[in-house]
Amino acid sequence: MDAVAARPERDGTRSRGWGRLLLRVSILVLAFVAMVGFSVVLAKVTLTPSPASEELVKSNLHPGRSLRQYAEDYTFLAACKQAGGNLVLGMPFGILLPILVPRKLRMLRMFVLTVLVIVLVELVQGAIVRGRAFDVDDVILNTAGALLAYLLVGRRLSHRYHVLAEEPARAPAAREARRPKNGRPKTGTRRNAQPGKKAEPARKSEPRTKAVPRDKTGARATPRRTAAPASAWSRLRHGVRRKKAARGRSTKR
């Protein structure tokens, strides 16, 4: 009966496990495709030559120099476009990378991978692409956009994905923990209960008491007390008393 009753539960658990696996694979594939598409857009935006600005663009290795230039030489809309574009360009890293990397230290992994990719892109810009140059402020803005997107969206999204991925692994452990050891049920009911009848609660065993000794009349017998062995001093004292008593009897005669 237990095997028959447990079969539907086992089938339902198996179907839910396959459903979670399919959902997990779908999310992973979508994240990977989105990451590839974002890489194509990133390469098109950052690695496209710009011969018209070849004489104006210079490499920047001092943090904050380009930001000050945006504030002083650009209009408000142009400065927001430059700075905001770099922020938006780094946001997909904060949303997609936490899903693709392992759960442990995912924020640190996302940060390191974002910095490495952006630095590599900036180096390629300054070395190969005409009209482009390495700018450390672009690295800072892209990384800040990735961190902002992670705190707003990526952390919750990746947490739900990793919890969904870990649930099938936790299910067998939970079933093993609920299963009674040595085949004994955890509740106090009898195992040999017939089907259709309510199982009777198991009887508690009464503590055994020691048998009380009784005499021939049936009364409770008192245990005999055994005298403790006399010491040498007590034996000597009793011997002296006996000698004095014997002398007294001899003098009376």
Side-chain angles (χ1 to χ4, degrees), residues 91-169:
M91 285 184 175
F93 288 103
I95 299 175
L96 300 176
L97 281 180
I99 298 176
L100 300 176
V101 299
R103 183 178 183 181
K104 188 177 181 181
L105 301 176
R106 61 181 182 272
M107 182 177 178
L108 181 61
R109 296 173 189 267
M110 181 273 302
F111 177 79
V112 173
L113 288 176
T114 302
V115 172
L116 291 177
V117 171
I118 297 302
V119 169
L120 180 62
V121 170
E122 291 292 330
L123 290 175
V124 172
Q125 278 185 345
I128 300 176
V129 183
R130 293 180 59 187
R132 303 283 183 176
F134 180 87
D135 195 341
V136 68
D137 287 337
D138 290 348
V139 178
I140 295 174
L141 290 174
N142 294 150
T143 307
L147 291 175
L148 183 62
Y150 173 79
L151 295 176
L152 294 178
V153 181
R155 180 176 59 179
R156 298 179 182 178
L157 188 63
S158 62
H159 176 73
R160 292 183 180 180
Y161 168 75
H162 288 293
V163 169
L164 182 66
E166 292 178 359
E167 280 184 359

Side-chain angles (χ1 to χ4, degrees), residues 76-88:
F76 178 76
L77 293 177
C80 291
K81 183 179 179 181
Q82 290 290 335
N86 286 321
L87 286 174
V88 172

Side-chain angles (χ1 to χ4, degrees), residues 241-253:
R241 288 180 180 178
R242 290 194 191 106
K243 289 181 180 181
K244 288 183 179 180
R247 292 176 183 176
R249 286 194 297 268
S250 63
T251 53
K252 289 180 180 181
R253 291 176 183 177

